[in-house]
Structures are given as C-alpha cells and as structure tokens.
C-alpha cells in the first residue's frame, strides 16, 4: 500500500502505473457506511500491485482515520453520542493499546 501521489514502488523503486480500481468500505460516525474506490498501481519493474490509500483511511482498517484517532486521543468513548455501540468497546480498547502511529508502512 502506498499513499496518494506516490509513483515509486516501495519494494524495488520502480515506476508505478495505474492498474485499475477496487471498492473499499469506510465506516464513519452514526453507523454510516460508505464505499470508496481505491486505485491500484502496478510496478513496471517487479510487477507488484499496490493500493493507493487516501489520507482519510488507514491500511487494514474499516473505520475512517478520524474515528480511530479520536478513540486513541480519548475524544471518543462508548458514551460519546453517535458511537455508543459502534465501534464496539473491544475494538476501541485494541486501538488504545496500540502505541505506534498509524502509517502505511506499519499499520496501526
């Protein structure tokens, strides 16, 4: 996975070219679910395929970045209106337990 506007393969340094699009689910406040189209890029040199991740989502997470960051910073809890049961308490606890910063390379 690469961030938007990256044109170099993180594996080999080759040039990335557009290869298609795939749907991706994004969950937001008040149980709203959206589908976004994510661009796929293929390395001209090694043939690896990478998905271009926009800044409002984290790799391997369905919830938008704003929700995850809000939980980690303590702004969103189980009692916060709009988030009473979504995401669940166990998911919020896992996000709080992670001490690394969310990034494309390492994930949350």
């Amino acid at each position: 996975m690469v961030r938007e506007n990256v044109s170099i393969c993180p594996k080999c340094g080759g040039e990335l070219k557009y290869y298609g699009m795939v749907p991706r689910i994004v969950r937001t406040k008040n149980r709203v679910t959206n589908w976004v189209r994510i661009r796929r890029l293929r390395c001209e040199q090694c043939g690896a395929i990478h998905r271009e991740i926009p800044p409002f989502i984290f790799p391997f997470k369905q919830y938008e970045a704003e929700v995850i960051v809000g939980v980690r910073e303590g702004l969103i809890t189980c009692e916060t209106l709009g988030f009473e049961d979504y995401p669940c308490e166990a998911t919020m606890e896992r996000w709080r337990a992670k001490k690394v910063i969310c990034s494309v390379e390492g994930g949350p």
Side-chain angles (χ1 to χ4, degrees), residues 34-52:
N34 297 312
W35 286 90
V36 296
R37 294 177 56 90
I38 302 293
R39 286 180 7 130
R40 290 190 318 160
L41 306 168
R42 185 173 182 271
C43 177
E44 294 285 299
Q45 196 166 348
C46 70
I49 297 175
H50 304 280
R51 291 182 182 199
E52 188 178 60

Side-chain angles (χ1 to χ4, degrees), residues 86-97:
Y86 186 81
C88 72
E89 274 186 76
T91 299
M92 289 183 181
E93 282 303 314
R94 277 195 315 274
W95 292 343
R96 282 188 211 106

Side-chain angles (χ1 to χ4, degrees), residues 4-108:
E4 284 183 318
N5 301 321
V6 172
S7 59
I8 297 173
C9 177
K11 289 184 177 181
C12 72
E15 185 179 356
L16 296 176
K17 295 284 186 179
Y18 177 80
Y19 190 65
M21 301 196 76
V22 293
R24 165 93 183 255
I25 193 169
V26 179
R27 299 179 190 280
T28 62
K29 184 179 177 185
N30 293 323
R31 293 191 170 267
V32 175
T33 300
N34 297 312
W35 286 90
V36 296
R37 294 177 56 90
I38 302 293
R39 286 180 7 130
R40 290 190 318 160
L41 306 168
R42 185 173 182 271
C43 177
E44 294 285 299
Q45 196 166 348
C46 70
I49 297 175
H50 304 280
R51 291 182 182 199
E52 188 178 60
I53 301 297
F56 62 90
I57 57 177
F58 290 131
F60 310 110
K61 301 292 182 214
Q62 290 186 359
Y63 293 92
E64 70 179 341
E66 188 176 330
V67 173
I68 296 172
V69 171
V71 168
R72 283 186 167 175
E73 292 178 351
L75 303 172
I76 298 173
T77 65
C78 321
E79 289 81 34
T80 306
L81 291 177
F83 297 97
E84 299 88 358
D85 59 346
Y86 186 81
C88 72
E89 274 186 76
T91 299
M92 289 183 181
E93 282 303 314
R94 277 195 315 274
W95 292 343
R96 282 188 211 106
K98 285 279 197 176
K99 299 298 180 197
V100 295
I101 296 176
C102 297
S103 69
V104 171
E105 292 77 28

